[in-house]
């Protein structure tokens, strides 16, 4: 499978991942003895920091976005919602991974579901978790959950981009073999050069989508059409994920499904359709007043 031309210039020959100045741990606290017990070592991983940074950055930007006329919620409501959103991301992401990607493993040992530090999160599950958090919080706090979803969708690419970069740093979720002598040789993926598909996803789902949604929010009245920004996000993410799945190695326990698609592509199709419908409805309905 050939690499799209706009990615080719930086990858003229194979790069050994182990030679890159990246490590999964941001820093490590060495083991120590205290109160008669041995503790540690303790490591803070970039993947954990990606989640934390994404949530903090989202809150920071949302506090400025809701200052614009016509915002659906107040600052105290937003501060309260962040807790709901965090639970939605983590709970939905973990549940989605269990149900969609590794159900047999967790049926055999359900306690493993709680071992979040071992990895295993699904974006599609996290997406549904955040959607549920938006509508539930809106229902309890008496404001439009759909309009909140528009605001949240605008900042979500930050966490997506950071998460994909962290996947690359971890040397996980690598791409398929490039079919040439260029690419990256990941330590646990055999000797063949592979697509750095994590970076493709970071660029599309993170960078490109963030630019599009930010421009729509700040420079157009899109925020006043409930569902429009969420629809753009859903279509944009779904298409990006569907395309990059052609370069990403399918999950080992699933492979290519009988439909000829990967699980990521299969889950993206209903997301694209639902988001497209939301877009149509948002464009047909009258906008709210600022």
């Amino acid at each position: 499978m050939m690499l799209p031309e706009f990615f080719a210039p930086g990858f003229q020959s194979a790069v050994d991942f182990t030679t890159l100045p990246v490590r999964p741990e941001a820093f490590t606290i060495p083991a120590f003895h205290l109160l008669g017990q041995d503790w540690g070592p303790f490591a803070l991983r970039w993947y954990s920091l990606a989640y934390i940074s994404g949530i903090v950055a989202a809150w920071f930007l949302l506090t400025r976005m809701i200052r614009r006329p016509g915002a659906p919620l107040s600052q105290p409501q937003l501060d309260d919602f962040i807790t709901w959103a965090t639970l939605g991301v983590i709970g939905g992401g973990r549940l989605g991974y269990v149900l969609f990607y590794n159900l047999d493993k967790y049926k055999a040992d359900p306690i493993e579901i709680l071992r979040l530090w071992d990895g295993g999160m699904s974006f599609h599950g996290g997406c549904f978790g955040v959607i549920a958090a938006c509508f539930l919080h809106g229902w309890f706090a008496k404001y439009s959950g759909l309009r909140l979803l528009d605001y949240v969708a605008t900042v979500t690419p930050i966490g997506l981009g950071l998460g994909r970069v962290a996947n690359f740093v971890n040397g996980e979720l690598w791409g398929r073999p490039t079919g040439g002598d260029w690419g990256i040789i990941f330590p646990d993926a055999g000797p063949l050069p592979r697509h750095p598909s994590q970076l493709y996803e970071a660029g599309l789902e993170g960078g490109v989508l963030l630019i599009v949604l930010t421009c729509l929010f700040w420079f157009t009245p899109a925020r006043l059409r409930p569902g429009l920004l969420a629809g753009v996000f859903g279509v944009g993410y779904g298409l990006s994920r569907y395309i990059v799945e052609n370069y990403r190695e399918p999950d080992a326990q699933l492979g290519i499904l009988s439909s000829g698609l990967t699980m990521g592509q299969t889950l993206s199709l209903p997301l694209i359709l639902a988001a497209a419908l939301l877009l149509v409805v948002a464009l047909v309905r009258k906008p709210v007043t600022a």
Side-chain angles (χ1 to χ4, degrees), residues 83-102:
T83 301
W84 291 55
T86 302
L87 294 175
V89 168
I90 297 174
R94 186 60 166 175
L95 184 60
Y97 180 77
V98 171
L99 295 178
F100 300 144
Y101 290 94
N102 234 326

Side-chain angles (χ1 to χ4, degrees), residues 3-18:
L3 181 72
E5 290 183 5
F6 50 89
F7 286 124
F11 298 99
Q12 298 299 324
S13 60
V15 175
D16 186 342
F17 180 82
T18 60

Side-chain angles (χ1 to χ4, degrees), residues 136-182:
L136 285 173
H137 193 269
W139 184 73
F140 280 109
K142 310 299 183 186
Y143 65 87
S144 171
L146 179 58
R147 294 206 61 215
L148 171 61
L149 184 60
D150 284 330
Y151 281 61
V152 171
T154 303
V155 298
T156 295
I158 299 172
L160 280 175
L162 292 174
R164 293 310 183 191
V165 172
N167 289 146
F168 178 79
V169 170
N170 285 347
E172 62 189 5
L173 304 184
W174 50 75
R176 304 183 191 190
T178 61
D181 58 358
W182 61 269

